[in-house]
Amino acid sequence: MAKTAKAAPSGNTGSGEQNLAFQAEVAKLLDIVVHSLYSNREIFLRELISNASDSCDKLRYTALTDGKLLEDGGGAFEIHIVADKDAKTLTISDNGVGMNHDELIANLGTIAKSGTAEFIKGLSGDKAKDVSQIGQFGVGFYSSFMVADKVDVFSRKAGETHGWMWSSDGRGTFSVSPQDDVARGARIVLHLKDDAVEFAESHRLKQIVRTYSDHIALPVILDPGPDALKKKAKDGEDKKGGEDKDETPQPETLNSASALWMRPKTEITADQYKEFYHHVGHAFDEPWHTLHYRAEGAVEFTALLFVPSQKPFDLFHPERKGHVKLYVNRVFISDQLEGLMPRYLRFVRGVVDSADLPLNVSRELLQDNPTLRKIQSGIVKRLLKDLKERAEKVDDYKTFWDSFGPVFKEGLYEDYERREELLELTRASSTNGDGLISLKDYAGRMKEGQDAIYYITGDNIAALKASPQIEGFVAKGVEVLLLTDPIDEFWVTSVGAYDKKPFRNVAEAGADLSGIKGGAEEPKDDTAGPAAEAAVKDLIEKLKTTLGEAVADVRTSARLTSSPVCLVADSGGMSLHLARMLKQHGEGAGLNTKKVLEINPKHDLVKRLMTASGDAFDDSAHLLLDQARIVEGEAVPDPAAFARRLSSVMAKGLG
Ligand code: ADP
């Protein structure tokens, strides 16, 4: 994604000030933020404090290898808030890593986070709806414009000498200009809207910080504002000559300023966990699951992990990045470390902190660290154990599965070691009711004589339930798994079997149901007997000749009960659904995806076909094939021919 904001026509001015336009998505976002009433405006402060804390974390890490960056020889990291009621400003500053000219433009002029820009592009334009959607997703820095009609950011990047000022009224453009005497880090000055002056009141600020940012590991300090200092000066004059009690307003630390994950569980409330999850996961939903524990033994570490209840926006991003933050002894190291969390658990958010990892190795080296591997194995084990417990409550687990099932199933072919465990946690729809079932449920209900787990893949449950391929199975009471995630094609073939029972695609040729007991009474079979068999054989030959290259083969079918025909994949070949998926992605050209046409010799139409000939036979044969394609969700290759044949057959029927 482009990270540059577009230069507006005004360009550079004499003072070195540059005027730029926001990226279109940012402008759209700001328009919604600025012009719509926001029910929960106070969260802007949480967002700014969260950014300030991240920025200090980043500098603390880089300074491990480049101590000069700290300038002050390693002074404490702090976040300061100061309000000026008269000037109607609120200032939030940090002494973190800061931003230089280019970073200010890229970070505060564009949206670089994967998935986010796409999300904003897709917003409906209906303000009420958009606001509620944005509410669950959060707007980070841009939320400042809910309470401010102008925002100035003064920033100097650690290690650099020049400072910059970024300024905007949130209405399409912003400016960047060089600035003298800027302290390291970022100072954000909000010029509060008239209806937002409450955010300059110290009691309000205290309450907001305690509610949302108590868990921030750095001190968040409220400094006395100019009005408090003025008052003190005035009081001093009034009392001249009287006793001199020193009541100089003092800075006040508003939060606990200790890493939440290091505090004992009993001292943390559900709300504090939730707020921490919002901060650490950049998330806005409720955590579906919270796991907080300390591992002792060979490797010691503390983990505070969350499973979200909603899908994060980048869940299906090709990079499949994880988001658990690694800390070494309270020092933030990385939030994108491969090797901390397997990719199929990339939806997990949170923190892992261990003193057993070396502080001074690079992120790259950490990736292959054996201690890190042990930590991974420990947290995955605990997570799966918790999932197993929660899976007992079917509805509760469905929330998890609906959001993360498609990602979780990647583990079935990627995590060979835990495959059995992951299979136990896997859920699927089936022909047995509307709920999700486990493979254990399926296996427990298998019919006498049934030696495989049957499944069918497709785009949606309704179409699968109506597909002719499963008719015979349903008639016999044989359960079929209905798999609709693209990934299902891959894991079933790679896993092969569950509890020694092989997975078998019902849409593959050669389904033999004769060995399975049960189901409805078989209809009287008038296709038995040598004469009838010869007629069927004859029909198959005629169909093969007529349809030629359009099909791989024509066979009789045991699976059909009420449909005359259906298409199936050649046994061992690629499934119809997979072939279609590849085609949709422009792949699979040159693949042999010809299908087998299965016919139902007991069906009236097929019986009539045995005695047909000439054009009537040709038209019907092609129409039957097209019908099977349509039912399968495929396009008819020659619509004109289809229409012509259909008209001709209808005309005869009406005649
Ligand atoms: P997010 O924090 O979710 O990435 P934001 O819109 O809040 O999104 O911020 C965008 C980026 O701007 C951040 O990723 C960070 O790089 C930068 N940024 C924001 N605030 C600060 C700050 N106080 N100090 C340094 N960089 C910051």
Side-chain angles (χ1 to χ4, degrees), residues 51-52 55 58 94 98-99 107-108 113 139-142 186 282:
N51 281 346
S55 160
K58 273 183 218 158
D94 65 70
M99 286 173 274
N107 294 338
L108 308 184
K113 232 186 296 165
V139 288
F141 168 77
Y142 302 111
H282 288 249

Side-chain angles (χ1 to χ4, degrees), residues 582-652:
L582 289 175
K583 230 177 177 171
Q584 277 162 4
H585 285 89
E587 288 165 40
L591 286 173
N592 180 11
T593 52
K594 268 200 294 186
K595 285 135 214 167
V596 175
L597 182 72
E598 288 198 352
I599 60 167
N600 176 2
K602 294 171 199 165
H603 196 281
D604 276 347
L605 179 56
V606 177
K607 285 188 208 155
R608 293 275 296 276
L609 210 54
M610 291 176 190
T611 54
S613 61
D615 284 351
F617 180 88
D618 276 13
D619 286 347
S620 306
H622 280 106
L623 281 173
L624 274 175
L625 174 60
D626 282 342
Q627 173 189 320
R629 285 175 171 141
I630 293 168
V631 170
E632 188 50 40
E634 283 185 22
V636 169
D638 185 351
F642 171 74
R644 184 169 35 74
R645 288 185 184 118
L646 190 61
S647 304
S648 148
V649 169
M650 283 197 289
K652 278 184 201 134

Side-chain angles (χ1 to χ4, degrees), residues 16 19 29 74 76 200 250 259 381 383 390 420 423 478 584 618 637 641:
N19 286 303
L29 185 74
Q250 296 294 322
K381 195 166 158 199
L383 266 172
R390 292 199 62 170
E420 295 310 315
L423 277 170
V478 175
Q584 277 162 4
D618 276 13

